[in-house]
Amino acid sequence: MEDLFRAYAPYVYLHPDEEHLPSSVDWFFSNGALLYKKGEESQPARIEPGGANLPKGGDPDGSYWIDLPADKGGRDRVSRGDIASAEAYVHFKPGVENGMFTDIQVWMFYPFNGHATAKIGFIKRVPLGRVGEHVSDWEHVTLRVRNVDGVLDRVYFSQHSGGKWVDASLLQFESGNRFAWYSSRNGHAGNNEAGLYLQGPGNGVGIRNDWAKSNKVVDTVARFVVVASEGEGEAVVEPPWLSYESKWGPTKQYDTAAEVRRVRKFLLGKLKKALDKLVKIIDEVYGTDGPTGPKVKNNWNGNEA
């Protein structure tokens, strides 16, 4: 299975203007990430290496969450990430389609998700204040490999709360069978090619997803860790942080409507109405709660949707 991953391991291309780079989970922990507990917010705990002191099991009441360092300098520094430390976290699992495939999930961690930018009519870039910002961001691709011959069949690219399957013939291959995994500016949504995609009501109005190739790149085969494997003869020792089922970031710390109002007052009448339509879907795209880790997500055990 590791040989298959090495054969197809993607290159993660960040946007040239990306400010919030990926890092390893251990870099995030060792550089001041804090664990908070409801009712004891004034006494956050430093997170031990590997997440050894993180709580295990479910947390339906949202009693725990992770946040950036408390001091501004630490928050700013850690939110920018550390691409030199970035690791790919690999999960092998049987494919769900009649046992014909094996899935290789490749997860990347970002300490911070940046603010959203919109396109509204002829105005190409409208910064939306703090909209879209949240601590910690987990993104992944899933490589679906045919069991009969080990050939890569297709790849799933996660995009915010959803994603898309892409046939292997549409991937941009380099270094043999390895392919490009583009990460959108600020939001880190994945894609198989460079370009612009708008999420929103249409007619030239939407949240920008900008993908472009740059020298900010992660070679996933150079630094990867197999964190879980199902159906394999040799057991994998899972890192403690993988079993942490609470939030990797606090609940949304801004009011979407208030942030958008700051922008709205500078727009003309028709553009104001266009922005109002966009506001209705913003929280659907970005969510309002803190992000969860890989093992909590439905696609960890189920199919990609």
Side-chain angles (χ1 to χ4, degrees):
M1 292 305 301
E2 287 191 20
D3 288 342
L4 278 176
F5 170 69
R6 289 188 178 94
Y8 299 122
Y11 293 96
V12 184
Y13 286 103
L14 286 302
H15 192 279
D17 298 325
E18 180 62 68
E19 297 179 358
H20 303 291
L21 303 172
S23 77
S24 70
V25 170
D26 281 340
W27 181 91
F28 179 56
F29 292 164
S30 64
N31 279 268
L34 297 170
L35 175 66
Y36 283 81
K37 183 178 180 180
K38 187 181 293 184
E40 302 177 11
E41 289 86 350
S42 63
Q43 298 175 309
R46 291 290 296 264
I47 302 175
E48 296 175 4
N53 63 327
L54 292 174
K56 307 297 187 292
D59 184 14
D61 298 325
S63 297
Y64 294 93
W65 65 93
I66 294 174
D67 205 346
L68 298 170
D71 63 291
K72 185 179 186 307
R75 292 183 70 86
D76 291 345
R77 180 176 59 83
V78 175
S79 70
R80 291 193 291 269
D82 180 63
I83 197 170
S85 74
E87 294 177 323
Y89 300 106
V90 180
H91 171 211
F92 300 124
K93 67 171 186 171
V96 296
E97 297 184 11
N98 303 318
M100 296 173 59
F101 300 94
T102 293
D103 284 353
I104 305 174
Q105 287 187 332
V106 187
W107 294 84
M108 295 294 299
F109 174 75
Y110 299 78
F112 196 78
N113 193 89
H115 68 81
T117 301
K119 180 180 183 298
I120 303 176
F122 62 87
I123 304 179
K124 294 182 178 180
R125 293 186 180 277
V126 180
L128 297 178
R130 292 181 293 169
V131 168
E133 290 186 353
H134 57 78
V135 175
S136 298
D137 187 26
W138 282 101
E139 300 291 347
H140 76 285
V141 295
T142 295
L143 288 61
R144 182 153 288 179
V145 180
R146 299 199 309 235
N147 288 334
V148 66
D149 53 13
V151 170
L152 181 64
D153 186 80
R154 58 201 129 138
V155 173
Y156 180 87
F157 293 85
S158 65
Q159 299 177 337
H160 305 304
S161 57
K164 68 175 185 178
W165 281 106
V166 175
D167 189 88
S169 64
L170 300 177
L171 300 173
Q172 294 181 6
F173 287 101
E174 46 190 278
S175 302
N177 291 320
R178 302 177 62 193
F179 64 93
W181 169 9
Y182 291 90
S183 175
S184 68
R185 181 186 180 190
N186 289 350
H188 311 135
N191 203 30
N192 60 306
E193 59 186 353
L196 167 65
Y197 172 71
L198 296 179
Q199 284 180 283
N203 297 319
V205 177
I207 298 168
R208 294 185 65 102
N209 289 272
D210 288 281
W211 294 287
K213 188 173 284 191
S214 75
N215 59 3
K216 300 173 184 176
V217 58
V218 177
D219 179 355
T220 59
V221 83
R223 292 177 62 92
F224 76 93
V225 180
V226 179
V227 294
S229 183
E230 299 156 27
E232 288 287 287
E234 184 177 349
V236 171
V237 178
E238 299 183 0
W241 57 258
L242 190 61
S243 296
Y244 171 69
E245 297 183 9
S246 300
K247 305 300 182 183
W248 282 74
T251 300
K252 189 180 73 171
Q253 296 175 303
Y254 59 85
D255 179 352
T256 298
E259 292 295 316
V260 171
R261 276 197 298 271
R262 296 188 180 97
V263 177
R264 192 178 186 275
K265 62 185 179 182
F266 296 107
L267 299 176
L268 300 175
K270 289 184 178 180
L271 298 182
K272 280 185 170 67
K273 293 180 180 179
L275 181 60
D276 291 342
K277 292 180 180 178
L278 185 59
V279 169
K280 295 179 181 179
I281 71 160
I282 285 176
D283 285 339
E284 294 179 15
V285 173
Y286 290 104
T288 58
D289 210 348
T292 54
K295 209 169 185 178
V296 182
K297 301 184 188 301
N298 293 332
N299 48 32
W300 179 265
N301 292 314
N303 196 12
E304 306 286 1

